[in-house]
Amino acid sequence: MNSTIDATQAAANAIQGAAPEVRKGFPLPSSLKVVPGTERAQAAYPYHVQFSKADDERFWFYNSMHFPEPMSAFDMVTAEAAYCALGAANTRVHCLPTTLGIDHRVINGRVYIGGNAVTDPQEIARRTEEFQKRAFYYYENWERLYAQWREKMMALIRQAAAMPKPQLPELEPLEHVHAGRGVASNQDLLDIYQKTLEGYFRMWHHHFEFLLLGYGAYLTFFHFCKKAFPEITDQTIARMVAGIEAEIFRPDDELRRLARCAVELGVDGYFKEGMRAEEILEALRGAGTPGEKWLEELAVSRDPWFNINVGDGFYHYHRGWNDDLSMPFACLPEYIRRVRSGESLERPIERLKAERQQLIAEYRELLSSDEERAAYDQMIGLAHRVFPYVEGHKFYCEHWYTNLFFNKIREFGELLARHGFFPDSEDVFHLTHYELKMAIIDLMTAWSTGSAPRGPERWPAIVAERRAAVREWAKHETPPALGPVPDVIDDPAIVMLWGITRENLDAWLSASNDASSREIRGFAASSGVVEGPARVVKSVEEISRLETGDILVCQVTNPTWAPVFQKIVGAVSDLGGSMSHAAIVAREYGLPAVVGTGNATGRIKDGQRIRVDGSRGIVTVLD
């Protein structure tokens, strides 16, 4: 067995654990009630994601990392497609030894998830053998397979972008008739919709092709370090892979470039706080050659780097920068101010790389044998090779492709709205993807028969009811977890991405009993200590409230919020582990951060002065 396989052999063992014993837990799923008056909206979600009595015997947690707000009926396709693909990758493709897929349930628009562990030793051994044959092949051929992955994703993106706009002519075009096409235009609607939906499900399979393997390589190195250096912190190990080059950071890099261009071309005076993007663009069009040159540079940045949305890609209303320039343009005045004052706009990537090399070398010297040092070198080398994918894939999947997907659904919304199915094209997102297919076939049938479609009689009232339900659900809090808590949580994704560990859940439980405590504990995500006013942000729409010097307190951050990191001095999140997106972004921008606190957004009041100790994982309320 060659050196890379030797270095990754521990991946099969790193995620093993004993059969859990049930202890004190959170409220049972059956104790959660649908908000009165929203029962029909709840029933719109598929039957297989509704809680049942049997679910009381399992542990679940609210996935506020990816779904921090109640989900509309159509947006729930994201959870359905994602968990379908994740489960396939874990259970059937790479065969992770001690974990299968993740089940999800929905109540009041909130998505709860629970992992499926493998605890039988014989089954673990059988899956370990399969894991070695499958995952290690990927590790050995990572660069080639990753290049192939990029081509697959770009082909999928090109197919989505080339999809024709759904439309119905009054009469079949004469050229179709003379060509003997033999298929009427109403069939195109079904073809386009089914290809759109199929492409979205396929994208999520691509999304998970490498993701858990990337985490697995890091987790192998993590467990080696914990055994070899008992006093080492999780954050120190994470810093050994900091300073990554990934596409998800490129949009922010482009904004910084555009800020420098504005100053160099002398058009920086056109970018003022509070001005709308359209006003700035109009002013630049009248600014002669310098304005034209800046607009040319903007066009370079927009394709492809503005194919990123303001959220995490899971809600239809988190629009892409190319669809709405409000967020990127709102960040330009501050970047321009910093350029004028001579401040550096660069992400501290070289400093992070230097720090990681120093840490790697210092800990390497503590190892006692050449054999240990060789294994250490191989494991950290593999982690550096695979880790850029952990963040980079998001640009192609959750952002670029997902924007194309939601915009294609908007086109169906526009078509149905023109035929009276509902008042506004955005109302289409209050239909499930199953119901949208029915509405399309209704319209196809009406076009073919010459009769009126039935949808205008049915959907307006349902859409209004569901819209009201989503608004009502947003007013109600939901428990962070449900059901009995196991002693061991050994799914690597749940531990590393969401930060759900047995110790953390104990802290969540005790926190609910000691809400008066001034200290809130979580994962030490990014080192440093800072004090400042807390700005509690619970949705993307509230990002604009952030002011210079604030400490961001949120359920979770994501890389697309990078432009606002120019204003804040620290970050705190409810959810997230040492390798969550929130933790990675904070380290890449050198901001003190504590993640995985459980309920910081509930315990910290907006405007309170707080201290964030990102080295120890402690947030202190100072007033």
Side-chain angles (χ1 to χ4, degrees), residues 241-308:
V241 296
I244 61 175
E245 303 276 6
E247 293 92 330
I248 197 66
F249 297 114
R250 185 65 183 273
D252 185 42
D253 293 341
E254 289 297 309
L255 278 186
R256 295 160 189 256
R257 185 185 73 83
L258 290 171
R260 287 190 289 266
C261 284
V263 175
E264 291 167 3
L265 292 169
V267 297
D268 47 307
Y270 291 97
F271 295 87
K272 298 176 182 177
E273 294 279 359
M275 282 187 68
R276 294 185 298 111
E278 294 79 7
E279 294 173 331
I280 297 173
L281 291 173
E282 185 62 30
L284 288 168
R285 293 186 191 105
T289 300
E292 291 174 3
K293 287 185 176 180
W294 191 90
L295 291 172
E296 289 173 1
E297 294 299 327
L298 173 63
V300 171
S301 295
R302 292 184 73 166
D303 185 16
W305 302 113
F306 278 25
N307 288 303
I308 191 167

Side-chain angles (χ1 to χ4, degrees), residues 61 102 113-116 489 491-501:
F61 65 93
I102 291 177
I113 60 176
N116 289 320
I489 297 174
D491 185 313
I494 290 177
V495 174
M496 293 181 59
L497 188 56
W498 284 282
I500 306 296
T501 65

Side-chain angles (χ1 to χ4, degrees), residues 269-494:
Y270 291 97
F271 295 87
K272 298 176 182 177
E273 294 279 359
M275 282 187 68
R276 294 185 298 111
E278 294 79 7
E279 294 173 331
I280 297 173
L281 291 173
E282 185 62 30
L284 288 168
R285 293 186 191 105
T289 300
E292 291 174 3
K293 287 185 176 180
W294 191 90
L295 291 172
E296 289 173 1
E297 294 299 327
L298 173 63
V300 171
S301 295
R302 292 184 73 166
D303 185 16
W305 302 113
F306 278 25
N307 288 303
I308 191 167
N309 62 54
V310 298
D312 212 9
F314 300 147
Y315 293 86
H316 72 272
Y317 49 84
H318 292 170
R319 302 300 300 271
W321 286 10
N322 269 332
D323 296 329
D324 182 356
L325 290 168
S326 298
M327 181 170 179
F329 271 50
C331 298
L332 281 170
E334 177 63 17
Y335 277 153
I336 288 171
R337 184 198 64 77
R338 291 172 60 183
V339 172
R340 287 172 181 157
S341 64
E343 298 178 44
S344 172
L345 293 186
E346 302 303 320
R347 187 161 53 94
I349 189 167
E350 295 305 322
R351 176 175 62 80
L352 293 170
K353 286 181 177 179
E355 288 177 354
R356 85 184 186 190
Q357 288 307 116
Q358 182 178 351
L359 285 171
I360 290 168
E362 289 175 351
Y363 278 95
R364 189 180 189 279
E365 289 301 313
L366 299 177
L367 296 170
S368 58
S369 70
D370 290 341
E371 183 179 1
E372 283 186 322
R373 282 187 284 273
Y376 177 86
D377 291 344
Q378 289 296 326
M379 282 185 279
I380 188 60
L382 179 64
H384 285 165
R385 283 172 59 208
V386 306
F387 204 71
Y389 174 86
V390 171
E391 288 299 303
H393 75 281
K394 291 175 68 64
F395 174 72
Y396 298 99
C397 296
E398 284 101 317
H399 295 278
W400 195 348
Y401 191 88
T402 299
N403 282 335
L404 290 170
F405 171 71
F406 279 134
N407 281 340
K408 181 57 64 177
I409 300 304
R410 278 191 174 84
E411 291 179 359
F412 280 102
E414 292 166 2
L415 179 66
L416 291 169
R418 283 200 302 271
H419 287 83
F421 278 62
F422 24 71
D424 191 294
S425 59
E426 292 291 295
D427 291 339
V428 69
F429 295 106
H430 289 292
L431 277 61
T432 68
H433 70 84
Y434 307 101
E435 292 171 334
L436 179 51
K437 182 178 179 180
M438 285 194 294
I440 291 169
I441 293 175
D442 176 14
L443 183 58
M444 290 167 59
T445 304
W447 182 84
S448 67
T449 63
S451 301
R454 304 289 297 279
E457 303 170 5
R458 174 179 177 81
W459 295 115
I462 292 175
V463 163
E465 182 178 59
R466 291 179 185 174
R467 188 191 302 111
V470 171
R471 286 199 298 264
E472 185 63 29
W473 290 335
K475 300 175 185 176
H476 298 262
E477 297 294 331
T478 196
L482 301 171
V485 181
D487 277 335
V488 176
I489 297 174
D490 50 16
D491 185 313
I494 290 177

